Amino acid sequence: KVFDKLSLMIRKGEKVGIRGASGAGKTTLFNLLLGFYTPDEGGVYIDGKELTVANRGGWLRYAGYVQQDVFILDASLAQNIALGVKPEDIDRKKVERIIREVSLSSYLDQLPEGIDTRIGEMGAKLSGGQKQRVAIARALANDPSIILADEPTGSLDSKTSSKILKQLIDLHEDKNVTLIIVTHDMDVAKLADRVIEVLD
């Protein structure tokens, strides 16, 4: 067992940090909230309805997911943000708006073919901070009601980490989304409405 008799409520519009040591169960809790894991006992409920394998797809349409290890296609910037959408079907104006929202405009200005520029295998043409901003942009592509970020600054230096955290908080304020950040970063405690400590 990772959790025993865990009871937790997250309200719409909250900023919540989930913090704890490595191996304490932060990502397990995160995967339960996303519906990637099914609890052995009890359940995860959204607006009173239990999250199941059958309805998980509907839940994930409302959720934006920011990973620590960002998967980058050897494709254009636009294709990496609008992941899974055929190139001819990408809403270019929306992609450009999201790029501005995540502070990638200065990077875009340097690209020879704009949003159609290929950004290299595994994001070879991106810095660590730029990769995380692409991950946030990807999470915003479906206009989510909730953003779940799993260690979004774990591999970044402290200055870049602070910028990425501020970016997420600003998006929360501007778009009124629920924000859940899994992290070991102490700075989250200063920014979140409350912090859930996962003890090992």
Side-chain angles (χ1 to χ4, degrees):
K1 277 187 179 180
V2 179
F3 302 111
D4 188 20
K5 297 178 182 176
L6 171 68
S7 180
L8 167 66
M9 179 181 286
I10 296 172
R11 297 169 184 83
K12 181 175 172 58
E14 271 194 303
K15 300 189 297 288
V16 176
I18 299 174
R19 195 158 63 85
S22 296
K26 301 186 303 294
T27 298
T28 299
L29 177 55
F30 195 76
N31 286 326
L32 285 165
L33 295 175
L34 281 165
F36 295 156
Y37 294 169
T38 302
D40 295 325
E41 298 176 46
V44 176
Y45 294 83
I46 298 131
D47 293 337
K49 186 173 183 179
E50 186 170 10
L51 179 62
T52 65
V53 172
N55 64 21
R56 181 177 62 197
W59 162 234
L60 292 176
R61 278 195 289 275
Y62 292 97
Y65 178 33
V66 182
Q67 298 166 281
Q68 177 179 359
D69 298 316
V70 186
F71 174 71
I72 302 289
L73 292 170
D74 185 11
S76 71
L77 179 59
Q79 286 172 280
N80 271 283
I81 291 172
L83 198 62
V85 179
K86 292 178 181 178
E88 62 271 21
D89 294 334
I90 291 173
D91 184 337
R92 298 174 66 82
K93 287 186 178 178
K94 183 176 183 180
V95 167
E96 288 170 355
R97 172 178 57 79
I98 291 171
I99 284 170
R100 289 193 301 273
E101 288 175 353
V102 299
S103 302
L104 275 174
S105 297
S106 59
Y107 173 69
L108 179 62
D109 291 342
Q110 299 167 23
L111 298 178
E113 297 173 62
I115 63 172
D116 297 313
T117 305
R118 298 178 78 87
I119 54 179
E121 189 173 350
M122 296 308 295
K125 297 179 183 177
L126 298 169
S127 68
Q130 287 166 342
K131 282 183 184 179
Q132 285 306 120
R133 286 189 169 91
V134 169
I136 296 168
R138 186 181 290 168
L140 293 175
N142 289 330
D143 300 313
S145 300
I146 180 169
I147 294 176
L148 300 107
D150 187 7
E151 296 278 11
T153 63
S155 59
L156 303 176
D157 61 82
S158 58
K159 185 177 179 181
T160 307
S161 173
S162 295
K163 287 180 179 177
I164 294 295
L165 283 176
K166 184 178 184 304
Q167 189 86 64
L168 287 166
I169 299 299
D170 288 347
L171 287 168
H172 165 269
E173 302 298 337
D174 293 344
K175 295 181 174 293
N176 195 31
V177 296
T178 306
L179 177 61
I180 303 173
I181 304 178
V182 174
T183 186
H184 62 269
D185 194 328
M186 291 293 288
D187 287 342
V188 171
K190 303 171 191 172
L191 300 170
D193 297 322
R194 60 191 171 110
V195 175
I196 297 156
E197 292 277 357
V198 180
L199 306 175
D200 57 6

